Amino acid sequence: SSFKPAVSSVSDICAKAPGGCPSFTPIDVEGSSVEGRAYNKIYIALIALSKNPFNQEEYADAVRRLQAYVNGDNAGNVKIAAMWPVQQLILLEADGEHVYRNYVAVSIPNDVQSIPKPNDANIQFHVNYEVDAFVMPVANRNCVIEIEKNFDALRKELESAGVDVDTNVKIILDYGDRFSTTEELREVGYLRHLA
């Protein structure tokens, strides 16, 4: 199967982003439409959500809070050029069925000298080291059933390609206007490891 984004490339979208996108080294996934990315150190600001990963009101509220943070609602009143994409990280229980934790996050550029403390106590920080992500564009970005179908298709493609990932860690990446629902591209993905 092959899924194509509605835009020319992620790099074209990232060129429009105020802070760009986190840099990565491509990982070849032979004979597959899956894109592999090896990320180095990434700082992320995140907000924990309920265990329903598709609660759009809660997601939108978390995105608004993150928007306020990067726009200066922080201890230093500092604006941060946050990076695309907005990330949703869904951690499943060991049975692979029930959601254990669910977060919405944005990446903070590594060259930010000191990350300002948020005024919002719900915002946490995490540093990911050497994360490998395997992603594909979503055929219908606004349909929950289609998103789940895409996760299933991605898992099958990775199995066929012999790529071992943690299927209990799902990511949804929204590119475009990072703080609205007008993203130009949505991707689903799995991580090889999360540090």
Side-chain angles (χ1 to χ4, degrees):
S1 64
S2 178
F3 292 84
K4 299 294 181 191
V7 295
S8 53
S9 72
V10 169
S11 60
D12 289 345
I13 297 173
C14 290
K16 299 185 223 172
C21 295
S23 60
F24 60 84
T25 303
I27 301 170
D28 184 44
V29 183
E30 199 168 325
S32 172
S33 62
V34 174
E35 183 177 342
R37 301 170 184 163
Y39 290 97
N40 290 320
K41 187 176 181 180
I42 302 173
Y43 293 96
I44 56 174
L46 67 160
I47 291 179
L49 304 181
S50 70
K51 294 184 179 181
N52 178 357
F54 300 113
N55 182 324
Q56 289 304 305
E57 286 182 18
E58 191 179 21
Y59 174 89
D61 180 63
V63 170
R64 277 192 295 273
R65 288 171 175 224
L66 291 167
Q67 178 184 31
Y69 170 71
V70 300
N71 282 335
D73 184 12
N74 53 59
N77 296 321
V78 176
K79 284 197 172 189
I80 303 167
M83 303 167 125
W84 291 351
V86 170
Q87 307 147 46
Q88 187 168 6
L89 182 64
I90 304 165
L91 309 180
L92 302 180
E93 297 279 12
D95 60 13
E97 293 294 325
H98 303 97
V99 175
Y100 172 53
R101 289 188 182 153
N102 180 25
Y103 299 98
V104 173
V106 291
S107 297
I108 306 297
N110 290 350
D111 60 1
V112 173
Q113 294 302 313
S114 63
I115 298 173
K117 183 179 177 182
N119 294 331
D120 186 333
N122 292 302
I123 297 175
Q124 308 165 42
F125 291 97
H126 185 75
V127 182
N128 286 339
Y129 293 95
E130 299 178 357
V131 175
D132 293 346
F134 296 87
V135 303
M136 66 191 314
V138 173
N140 183 341
R141 68 187 185 212
N142 294 320
C143 176
V144 171
I145 294 171
E146 287 297 326
I147 290 171
E148 288 294 1
K149 282 182 182 176
N150 278 260
F151 272 118
D152 190 50
L154 173 59
R155 181 183 49 76
K156 288 176 181 172
E157 284 217 30
L158 290 170
E159 285 174 358
S160 296
V163 177
D164 185 33
V165 294
D166 184 351
T167 55
N168 287 337
V169 182
K170 295 180 175 182
I171 54 171
I172 301 173
L173 306 175
D174 289 337
Y175 296 84
D177 183 351
R178 67 186 186 279
F179 295 121
S180 80
T181 56
T182 60
E183 70 274 352
E184 297 179 53
L185 171 65
R186 173 172 282 172
E187 295 173 323
V188 296
Y190 289 111
L191 302 182
R192 179 137 61 192
H193 47 83
L194 180 65

